[in-house]
Amino acid sequence: MDVRALLRKEALTVRRNAGLFVVVLVLLPAMLTGVTGVYERSIPEDVPVGVVPADDNTSETELAVTRTGVDSFATPVAYDTRAAARDGLAREEVYLVVAVPPDLGTEGADVEFTVVTDRTMVPFEEPANLSVAALDRRLDDALVSDVTVTHDRIGDQRVLTAYLIPVCLVAFVLVYGLVFVPYQVRSERLVLDRLQTTSRLETVLATKIAFYGALTIVPIAVAALVASWMGFDIATLSVFSFVSLILTFVLVAAVGLTVLFAMRLRRLALFANVGLLFALLSLSAVVYPVGFFSPTRKAIARTLPTHYATVTTRSAMLRDAPMALYADYLLWVAGAAVLALGGLVLALGYYRRRQ
Amino acid sequence: MVDHDNTGSTGDDSASQVPDSPSTAPGAIPPGHDDSTPPERDGASPMARDEPIPMAHEPMVDDAAARVFLVGVTKRYGSTTALEDVIFTTEPGTIHGLVGPNGSGKTTVLRLIAGLANPTTGRISRPAGATGYSFQEPRFFPDLTVRENLSVFRSLADDPEPVSWVETLLSALRLEPVETRRARDLSGGFRKKLDLALALLDRPQLLLLDEPLADVDRFSRRKIRSFLTSYATDDRTILISSHNGDEFADAYDRLTVLVDGTVRADGAPDDEQVAAFREYYS
């Protein structure tokens, strides 16, 4: 019977491409459903919150008391000065900063806490309001003084769409570098033999990365045009955003090509890269701020260069902050890109040896 | 001279020295080479394995750098042995046929000579000048046109040949009618001719051709044969791999017969031992 014969043929195809089907039918669904665990709660419970003295009269005891109050709904992070705490806010180390006034232990004294949040973090707006209210309630209960909490919102007012533009560009660069460029190289796999008779594979791939990296300017410019058309005032075309996105591209393109050559240009490598893409998108906290996630997920995100690439791109476009403030983030992304390029050289050596 | 050396586990450098003295004849087993022979396989050739491979002629000293040497070359892919102790030499100014049935290891030999793969053991040496390679399965940029492919690969050369050479190739290989067509849209014959043109682009000293006339029409075959025959002059060598040896039967100056990964005969086409394998080349 025709159908039986055709089904048998499909079964044989699965058997001959077992690795591919394991990735598509087992690993990808597992990864996708696993990603849902990222959104384990709608209101963050372990948000890093900066605690800083409001002025020189604030004592260490008062800071400790405040940290204890914060600890019940967030993770306190100590800063010495307000400027350092605001920098921490801009670098997304913390999502609220609590400025602690003196005289907390004076019964009946009016004390005013100031909670600073960044309007750039649009998804965090509501959780921030809830956190401020919780802080107000807890401090008022815990202290003998008369507590008021003032909410100071810094940065330009943004809407979710504007917040998502840098997010989309980072996501695009991840897809472009991790999937599209390896796909392009694989589609020319036959010609690589000929190229090897005249050039080095390293040169061929370096040219590819440089060319497609330069082409990244096009989607950035398109995003700038769309943002402008939508009436958003965001710095899409700044040097800072170019540096951040192109470094990110070099990093993920090198990783994608490393996987491709380590797997000897097999089709399976493209699916492995798609899996890697999902993993990076979810674990790097590209869409939601890392403050939303559990301490474990936060720790994972903060080891990934793609997380820092997201923060720097977002800051470049949405915050009026100097690039120097993110120098260590950019260095980590650049260092990871260099490591990935080293991995690519090793993968090429392996590929050549196995020929 | 470009060398690919892999002496395997012997670690004996002396065994890997390529002879370039006038005392070493092409096809003869060079000094230092372990001349132990692999066991005879089914379908054994009439050539006794412990006999020296026949020599065509004594080489000139100046020719040494222009020759290709394969000395005791073995290539294994996992547990599969593609080549076993292959030894042969090509002479400049000749068309050298590498003939044998499908799966005998001819393509592997070409890939090893081109440096696209490394021998498991043994040593390969080829001229330092440009090497052109026409692949069994054509290799070009499928999205580019014929002319764009030629232009891109021409500019990859350190010292590109003049543009007039590209025009010569387009004409000699009858590629002019399709020069503006995307390579991916070409028919099998034109694909093969484009691949051949790319192999000839640097006017290479060594030209490796893997089934060069497959899918090519009869008229073009004659033209290509004539072009290649006139190309193999002076210090240029053409090594042609074919399972259908009659394509170049009259053009071969020397033949190496490869069966099941081993050299069964090596010499002039009229050599008695080579002639025993006539079915592969005439």
Side-chain angles (χ1 to χ4, degrees), chain A residues 184 187-199 204 208 264 351-355, chain B residues 75 77 111 116-118 131 133-135 137-142 153 156 195 198-199 202:
Chain A
Q184 275 293 101
S187 69
E188 293 176 350
R189 63 193 180 283
L190 287 181
V191 86
L192 289 180
D193 272 348
R194 179 171 298 293
L195 285 169
Q196 283 184 87
T197 64
T198 53
S199 306
V204 173
K208 281 250 188 244
R264 297 164 63 202
Y351 171 75
R352 270 192 291 259
R353 278 197 305 279
R354 293 297 301 268
Q355 279 192 310
Chain B
K75 178 66 179 174
Y77 296 99
R111 288 183 66 82
L116 294 176
N118 298 315
T131 298
Y133 192 166
S134 175
F135 295 84
E137 190 179 349
R139 269 124 213 243
F140 41 66
F141 289 111
F153 280 103
L156 284 174
D195 201 64
L198 293 173
D202 291 342

Tab-separated table of all heavy atoms in Angstrom, chain A residues 184 187-199 204 208 264 351-355, chain B residues 75 77 111 116-118 131 133-135 137-142 153 156 195 198-199 202:
chain	number	residue	atom	x	y	z
A	184	GLN	N	23.973	31.102	6.128
A	184	GLN	CA	24.594	31.578	4.894
A	184	GLN	C	25.883	30.817	4.594
A	184	GLN	O	26.125	30.420	3.465
A	184	GLN	CB	24.945	33.073	5.035
A	184	GLN	CG	23.815	34.001	4.724
A	184	GLN	CD	23.432	33.942	3.259
A	184	GLN	OE1	22.449	33.299	2.910
A	184	GLN	NE2	24.194	34.557	2.398
A	187	SER	N	25.140	27.352	3.466
A	187	SER	CA	24.596	27.280	2.104
A	187	SER	C	25.717	27.356	1.069
A	187	SER	O	25.529	26.982	-0.077
A	187	SER	CB	23.577	28.395	1.869
A	187	SER	OG	24.229	29.642	1.839
A	188	GLU	N	26.881	27.835	1.484
A	188	GLU	CA	28.021	27.896	0.564
A	188	GLU	C	29.067	26.844	0.918
A	188	GLU	O	30.247	26.986	0.592
A	188	GLU	CB	28.651	29.292	0.608
A	188	GLU	CG	27.740	30.361	0.040
A	188	GLU	CD	28.309	31.761	0.170
A	188	GLU	OE1	29.331	31.921	0.866
A	188	GLU	OE2	27.726	32.686	-0.400
A	189	ARG	N	28.645	25.779	1.607
A	189	ARG	CA	29.626	24.828	2.118
A	189	ARG	C	30.437	24.157	1.007
A	189	ARG	O	31.608	23.839	1.198
A	189	ARG	CB	28.957	23.777	3.016
A	189	ARG	CG	27.947	22.908	2.318
A	189	ARG	CD	27.109	22.126	3.322
A	189	ARG	NE	26.125	21.293	2.672
A	189	ARG	CZ	24.989	21.753	2.145
A	189	ARG	NH1	24.728	23.036	2.193
A	189	ARG	NH2	24.142	20.935	1.568
A	190	LEU	N	29.808	23.950	-0.147
A	190	LEU	CA	30.550	23.279	-1.211
A	190	LEU	C	31.688	24.154	-1.722
A	190	LEU	O	32.771	23.654	-2.028
A	190	LEU	CB	29.606	22.916	-2.364
A	190	LEU	CG	28.651	21.755	-2.092
A	190	LEU	CD1	27.782	21.484	-3.308
A	190	LEU	CD2	29.417	20.492	-1.728
A	191	VAL	N	31.418	25.440	-1.796
A	191	VAL	CA	32.437	26.330	-2.350
A	191	VAL	C	33.603	26.532	-1.373
A	191	VAL	O	34.668	26.989	-1.758
A	191	VAL	CB	31.795	27.677	-2.766
A	191	VAL	CG1	31.726	28.640	-1.635
A	191	VAL	CG2	32.527	28.280	-3.945
A	192	LEU	N	33.388	26.132	-0.118
A	192	LEU	CA	34.478	26.281	0.857
A	192	LEU	C	35.698	25.467	0.426
A	192	LEU	O	36.835	25.861	0.661
A	192	LEU	CB	34.027	25.844	2.252
A	192	LEU	CG	33.037	26.773	2.947
A	192	LEU	CD1	32.670	26.232	4.315
A	192	LEU	CD2	33.596	28.180	3.090
A	193	ASP	N	35.456	24.322	-0.202
A	193	ASP	CA	36.575	23.505	-0.686
A	193	ASP	C	37.416	24.296	-1.690
A	193	ASP	O	38.640	24.290	-1.635
A	193	ASP	CB	36.054	22.236	-1.359
A	193	ASP	CG	35.852	21.113	-0.358
A	193	ASP	OD1	36.328	21.258	0.786
A	193	ASP	OD2	35.223	20.103	-0.712
A	194	ARG	N	36.709	24.951	-2.609
A	194	ARG	CA	37.463	25.719	-3.616
A	194	ARG	C	38.172	26.903	-2.961
A	194	ARG	O	39.315	27.208	-3.289
A	194	ARG	CB	36.522	26.203	-4.720
A	194	ARG	CG	37.251	27.025	-5.767
A	194	ARG	CD	36.429	27.350	-6.980
A	194	ARG	NE	35.999	26.187	-7.719
A	194	ARG	CZ	36.803	25.360	-8.386
A	194	ARG	NH1	38.106	25.585	-8.390
A	194	ARG	NH2	36.343	24.317	-9.014
A	195	LEU	N	37.459	27.557	-2.051
A	195	LEU	CA	38.075	28.706	-1.385
A	195	LEU	C	39.336	28.299	-0.631
A	195	LEU	O	40.292	29.053	-0.552
A	195	LEU	CB	37.069	29.355	-0.425
A	195	LEU	CG	35.972	30.182	-1.097
A	195	LEU	CD1	34.894	30.557	-0.089
A	195	LEU	CD2	36.561	31.439	-1.725
A	196	GLN	N	39.307	27.084	-0.089
A	196	GLN	CA	40.474	26.624	0.664
A	196	GLN	C	41.691	26.412	-0.223
A	196	GLN	O	42.816	26.351	0.268
A	196	GLN	CB	40.149	25.315	1.390
A	196	GLN	CG	39.319	25.517	2.628
A	196	GLN	CD	39.103	24.217	3.364
A	196	GLN	OE1	39.896	23.807	4.194
A	196	GLN	NE2	38.026	23.541	3.036
A	197	THR	N	41.480	26.264	-1.531
A	197	THR	CA	42.640	26.104	-2.411
A	197	THR	C	43.296	27.452	-2.711
A	197	THR	O	44.405	27.493	-3.222
A	197	THR	CB	42.245	25.427	-3.746
A	197	THR	OG1	41.336	26.288	-4.449
A	197	THR	CG2	41.611	24.073	-3.523
A	198	THR	N	42.568	28.554	-2.397
A	198	THR	CA	43.157	29.872	-2.675
A	198	THR	C	43.291	30.734	-1.418
A	198	THR	O	44.109	31.634	-1.375
A	198	THR	CB	42.290	30.660	-3.687
A	198	THR	OG1	40.948	30.689	-3.206
A	198	THR	CG2	42.316	30.026	-5.059
A	199	SER	N	42.458	30.473	-0.419
A	199	SER	CA	42.476	31.305	0.791
A	199	SER	C	42.432	30.407	2.023
A	199	SER	O	42.182	29.216	1.914
A	199	SER	CB	41.245	32.213	0.850
A	199	SER	OG	41.131	32.961	-0.316
A	204	VAL	N	38.292	33.659	5.128
A	204	VAL	CA	36.949	33.632	4.548
A	204	VAL	C	35.915	34.016	5.616
A	204	VAL	O	35.046	34.862	5.398
A	204	VAL	CB	36.637	32.227	3.975
A	204	VAL	CG1	35.184	32.131	3.528
A	204	VAL	CG2	37.571	31.911	2.814
A	208	LYS	N	33.443	37.276	6.226
A	208	LYS	CA	31.985	37.128	6.397
A	208	LYS	C	31.509	37.913	7.622
A	208	LYS	O	30.524	38.643	7.554
A	208	LYS	CB	31.625	35.654	6.622
A	208	LYS	CG	31.591	34.848	5.375
A	208	LYS	CD	30.174	34.445	5.034
A	208	LYS	CE	30.217	33.461	3.888
A	208	LYS	NZ	29.593	33.934	2.687
A	264	ARG	N	30.819	20.123	11.932
A	264	ARG	CA	31.240	19.827	10.552
A	264	ARG	C	30.162	20.186	9.524
A	264	ARG	O	29.864	19.400	8.629
A	264	ARG	CB	31.681	18.370	10.452
A	264	ARG	CG	32.906	18.087	11.328
A	264	ARG	CD	33.139	16.633	11.549
A	264	ARG	NE	33.427	15.959	10.320
A	264	ARG	CZ	33.268	14.660	10.138
A	264	ARG	NH1	32.827	13.915	11.120
A	264	ARG	NH2	33.558	14.111	9.001
A	351	TYR	N	37.635	20.928	12.220
A	351	TYR	CA	36.962	20.662	10.940
A	351	TYR	C	37.974	20.200	9.886
A	351	TYR	O	37.742	19.242	9.155
A	351	TYR	CB	36.258	21.948	10.500
A	351	TYR	CG	35.688	21.915	9.108
A	351	TYR	CD1	34.525	21.214	8.830
A	351	TYR	CD2	36.322	22.593	8.057
A	351	TYR	CE1	34.003	21.181	7.550
A	351	TYR	CE2	35.802	22.575	6.777
A	351	TYR	CZ	34.643	21.867	6.530
A	351	TYR	OH	34.136	21.832	5.260
A	352	ARG	N	39.116	20.896	9.840
A	352	ARG	CA	40.132	20.526	8.836
A	352	ARG	C	40.720	19.153	9.125
A	352	ARG	O	40.936	18.356	8.211
A	352	ARG	CB	41.237	21.580	8.806
A	352	ARG	CG	40.976	22.699	7.813
A	352	ARG	CD	42.232	23.529	7.628
A	352	ARG	NE	42.515	24.264	8.837
A	352	ARG	CZ	42.223	25.551	9.004
A	352	ARG	NH1	41.672	26.223	8.048
A	352	ARG	NH2	42.506	26.156	10.140
A	353	ARG	N	40.963	18.888	10.404
A	353	ARG	CA	41.552	17.575	10.757
A	353	ARG	C	40.617	16.439	10.391
A	353	ARG	O	41.057	15.358	10.029
A	353	ARG	CB	41.854	17.525	12.254
A	353	ARG	CG	43.178	18.180	12.635
A	353	ARG	CD	43.618	17.752	14.029
A	353	ARG	NE	42.605	18.004	15.037
A	353	ARG	CZ	42.392	19.184	15.603
A	353	ARG	NH1	43.116	20.211	15.268
A	353	ARG	NH2	41.450	19.328	16.526
A	354	ARG	N	39.311	16.677	10.502
A	354	ARG	CA	38.355	15.603	10.229
A	354	ARG	C	38.049	15.435	8.748
A	354	ARG	O	37.301	14.547	8.366
A	354	ARG	CB	37.042	15.863	10.993
A	354	ARG	CG	37.178	15.757	12.501
A	354	ARG	CD	37.565	14.361	12.944
A	354	ARG	NE	36.600	13.356	12.528
A	354	ARG	CZ	35.578	12.945	13.255
A	354	ARG	NH1	35.406	13.428	14.453
A	354	ARG	NH2	34.743	12.041	12.798
A	355	GLN	N	38.607	16.307	7.910
A	355	GLN	CA	38.355	16.176	6.472
A	355	GLN	C	39.127	15.003	5.902
A	355	GLN	O	40.258	14.787	6.269
A	355	GLN	CB	38.744	17.459	5.748
A	355	GLN	CG	37.680	18.535	5.837
A	355	GLN	CD	37.956	19.666	4.872
A	355	GLN	OE1	39.048	20.197	4.829
A	355	GLN	NE2	36.971	20.033	4.106
B	75	LYS	N	45.123	6.617	3.685
B	75	LYS	CA	44.090	7.481	4.241
B	75	LYS	C	42.976	6.618	4.805
B	75	LYS	O	42.388	5.791	4.109
B	75	LYS	CB	43.525	8.399	3.137
B	75	LYS	CG	42.407	9.311	3.603
B	75	LYS	CD	42.868	10.336	4.623
B	75	LYS	CE	41.732	11.262	5.069
B	75	LYS	NZ	42.152	12.147	6.152
B	77	TYR	N	39.320	6.655	7.095
B	77	TYR	CA	38.206	7.372	7.716
B	77	TYR	C	37.611	6.419	8.748
B	77	TYR	O	36.878	5.515	8.376
B	77	TYR	CB	37.146	7.749	6.676
B	77	TYR	CG	37.638	8.714	5.617
B	77	TYR	CD1	38.047	8.255	4.367
B	77	TYR	CD2	37.704	10.072	5.881
B	77	TYR	CE1	38.496	9.144	3.397
B	77	TYR	CE2	38.153	10.967	4.914
B	77	TYR	CZ	38.546	10.494	3.677
B	77	TYR	OH	38.993	11.379	2.726
B	111	ARG	N	42.032	15.122	-3.444
B	111	ARG	CA	41.836	15.993	-2.277
B	111	ARG	C	43.104	16.063	-1.419
B	111	ARG	O	43.440	17.118	-0.884
B	111	ARG	CB	40.660	15.498	-1.418
B	111	ARG	CG	39.301	15.729	-2.074
B	111	ARG	CD	38.175	15.298	-1.152
B	111	ARG	NE	38.096	16.124	0.053
B	111	ARG	CZ	37.499	17.302	0.105
B	111	ARG	NH1	36.915	17.798	-0.967
B	111	ARG	NH2	37.474	17.986	1.226
B	116	LEU	N	43.294	19.477	0.751
B	116	LEU	CA	41.978	19.589	1.391
B	116	LEU	C	41.754	18.497	2.425
B	116	LEU	O	40.758	18.503	3.139
B	116	LEU	CB	40.870	19.533	0.335
B	116	LEU	CG	40.848	20.721	-0.625
B	116	LEU	CD1	39.792	20.523	-1.694
B	116	LEU	CD2	40.589	22.013	0.134
B	117	ALA	N	42.634	17.546	2.461
B	117	ALA	CA	42.574	16.494	3.480
B	117	ALA	C	44.010	16.084	3.783
B	117	ALA	O	44.917	16.356	2.991
B	117	ALA	CB	41.770	15.307	2.970
B	118	ASN	N	44.191	15.506	4.931
B	118	ASN	CA	45.534	15.086	5.334
B	118	ASN	C	45.646	13.573	5.284
B	118	ASN	O	44.704	12.873	5.675
B	118	ASN	CB	45.821	15.554	6.761
B	118	ASN	CG	45.785	17.056	6.865
B	118	ASN	OD1	46.346	17.758	6.031
B	118	ASN	ND2	45.089	17.564	7.864
B	131	THR	N	47.739	25.636	-7.799
B	131	THR	CA	47.089	24.356	-8.091
B	131	THR	C	45.623	24.633	-8.413
B	131	THR	O	44.932	25.303	-7.650
B	131	THR	CB	47.177	23.415	-6.872
B	131	THR	OG1	48.545	23.142	-6.595
B	131	THR	CG2	46.443	22.103	-7.140
B	133	TYR	N	41.814	23.074	-9.219
B	133	TYR	CA	41.086	21.843	-8.890
B	133	TYR	C	39.674	21.952	-9.452
B	133	TYR	O	38.912	22.838	-9.076
B	133	TYR	CB	41.062	21.679	-7.367
B	133	TYR	CG	40.601	20.338	-6.845
B	133	TYR	CD1	40.816	19.991	-5.512
B	133	TYR	CD2	39.969	19.394	-7.659
B	133	TYR	CE1	40.403	18.761	-5.002
B	133	TYR	CE2	39.557	18.169	-7.162
B	133	TYR	CZ	39.768	17.867	-5.836
B	133	TYR	OH	39.355	16.649	-5.338
B	134	SER	N	39.348	21.059	-10.355
B	134	SER	CA	37.969	20.956	-10.813
B	134	SER	C	37.348	19.769	-10.087
B	134	SER	O	37.804	18.633	-10.231
B	134	SER	CB	37.935	20.743	-12.329
B	134	SER	OG	36.612	20.533	-12.756
B	135	PHE	N	36.336	20.050	-9.306
B	135	PHE	CA	35.786	19.040	-8.411
B	135	PHE	C	34.778	18.131	-9.119
B	135	PHE	O	34.154	18.543	-10.110
B	135	PHE	CB	35.099	19.708	-7.220
B	135	PHE	CG	36.045	20.460	-6.329
B	135	PHE	CD1	36.426	21.764	-6.622
B	135	PHE	CD2	36.576	19.853	-5.206
B	135	PHE	CE1	37.300	22.451	-5.806
B	135	PHE	CE2	37.454	20.544	-4.374
B	135	PHE	CZ	37.814	21.843	-4.681
B	137	GLU	N	31.948	17.235	-7.876
B	137	GLU	CA	30.706	17.991	-7.730
B	137	GLU	C	31.102	19.467	-7.792
B	137	GLU	O	31.825	19.945	-6.922
B	137	GLU	CB	30.056	17.692	-6.369
B	137	GLU	CG	28.674	18.238	-6.246
B	137	GLU	CD	28.042	17.901	-4.891
B	137	GLU	OE1	28.615	17.076	-4.146
B	137	GLU	OE2	27.014	18.481	-4.586
B	138	PRO	N	30.672	20.183	-8.835
B	138	PRO	CA	31.160	21.552	-9.034
B	138	PRO	C	31.014	22.433	-7.797
B	138	PRO	O	30.030	22.337	-7.072
B	138	PRO	CB	30.288	22.060	-10.185
B	138	PRO	CG	29.900	20.841	-10.930
B	138	PRO	CD	29.741	19.780	-9.890
B	139	ARG	N	32.012	23.286	-7.614
B	139	ARG	CA	32.025	24.169	-6.438
B	139	ARG	C	32.187	25.611	-6.861
B	139	ARG	O	33.234	26.000	-7.362
B	139	ARG	CB	33.177	23.762	-5.511
B	139	ARG	CG	32.713	22.742	-4.496
B	139	ARG	CD	33.536	21.506	-4.535
B	139	ARG	NE	32.731	20.341	-4.211
B	139	ARG	CZ	32.926	19.575	-3.181
B	139	ARG	NH1	33.890	19.811	-2.375
B	139	ARG	NH2	32.161	18.543	-2.974
B	140	PHE	N	31.130	26.372	-6.689
B	140	PHE	CA	31.149	27.792	-7.021
B	140	PHE	C	30.101	28.477	-6.160
B	140	PHE	O	29.383	27.817	-5.402
B	140	PHE	CB	30.859	28.020	-8.507
B	140	PHE	CG	29.759	27.143	-9.057
B	140	PHE	CD1	28.452	27.284	-8.623
B	140	PHE	CD2	30.045	26.152	-9.991
B	140	PHE	CE1	27.452	26.471	-9.114
B	140	PHE	CE2	29.033	25.326	-10.487
B	140	PHE	CZ	27.733	25.488	-10.041
B	141	PHE	N	30.044	29.802	-6.270
B	141	PHE	CA	29.012	30.528	-5.519
B	141	PHE	C	27.710	30.439	-6.306
B	141	PHE	O	27.602	31.043	-7.382
B	141	PHE	CB	29.419	31.995	-5.317
B	141	PHE	CG	30.541	32.163	-4.339
B	141	PHE	CD1	31.798	32.574	-4.759
B	141	PHE	CD2	30.349	31.896	-2.993
B	141	PHE	CE1	32.838	32.724	-3.861
B	141	PHE	CE2	31.383	32.044	-2.079
B	141	PHE	CZ	32.625	32.455	-2.517
B	142	PRO	N	26.724	29.717	-5.795
B	142	PRO	CA	25.520	29.477	-6.587
B	142	PRO	C	24.713	30.731	-6.887
B	142	PRO	O	24.005	30.790	-7.883
B	142	PRO	CB	24.713	28.487	-5.727
B	142	PRO	CG	25.269	28.610	-4.353
B	142	PRO	CD	26.682	29.046	-4.497
B	153	PHE	N	36.714	34.800	-8.004
B	153	PHE	CA	37.838	33.878	-7.767
B	153	PHE	C	39.134	34.398	-8.391
B	153	PHE	O	40.216	34.159	-7.862
B	153	PHE	CB	37.502	32.477	-8.285
B	153	PHE	CG	36.644	31.716	-7.323
B	153	PHE	CD1	35.290	31.554	-7.537
B	153	PHE	CD2	37.183	31.179	-6.162
B	153	PHE	CE1	34.490	30.873	-6.639
B	153	PHE	CE2	36.401	30.492	-5.246
B	153	PHE	CZ	35.043	30.344	-5.490
B	156	LEU	N	40.770	36.684	-6.001
B	156	LEU	CA	41.328	36.063	-4.791
B	156	LEU	C	42.804	35.715	-4.960
B	156	LEU	O	43.519	35.512	-3.983
B	156	LEU	CB	40.551	34.787	-4.443
B	156	LEU	CG	39.178	34.974	-3.790
B	156	LEU	CD1	38.474	33.638	-3.655
B	156	LEU	CD2	39.320	35.635	-2.435
B	195	ASP	N	33.124	25.030	-13.374
B	195	ASP	CA	34.073	24.523	-12.377
B	195	ASP	C	35.465	24.367	-12.994
B	195	ASP	O	36.480	24.672	-12.365
B	195	ASP	CB	33.567	23.181	-11.839
B	195	ASP	CG	34.169	22.852	-10.493
B	195	ASP	OD1	33.904	23.604	-9.541
B	195	ASP	OD2	34.936	21.877	-10.409
B	198	LEU	N	37.036	27.727	-13.364
B	198	LEU	CA	37.543	28.218	-12.074
B	198	LEU	C	38.867	27.544	-11.726
B	198	LEU	O	39.766	28.167	-11.167
B	198	LEU	CB	36.508	27.972	-10.967
B	198	LEU	CG	35.218	28.782	-11.086
B	198	LEU	CD1	34.194	28.338	-10.041
B	198	LEU	CD2	35.495	30.272	-10.926
B	199	ALA	N	38.976	26.259	-12.089
B	199	ALA	CA	40.229	25.536	-11.814
B	199	ALA	C	41.377	26.103	-12.644
B	199	ALA	O	42.530	26.090	-12.220
B	199	ALA	CB	40.041	24.052	-12.113
B	202	ASP	N	43.801	30.554	-12.408
B	202	ASP	CA	45.140	31.044	-12.027
B	202	ASP	C	46.219	30.532	-12.981
B	202	ASP	O	47.398	30.631	-12.672
B	202	ASP	CB	45.489	30.583	-10.596
B	202	ASP	CG	44.634	31.271	-9.570
B	202	ASP	OD1	44.049	32.304	-9.915
B	202	ASP	OD2	44.548	30.764	-8.433
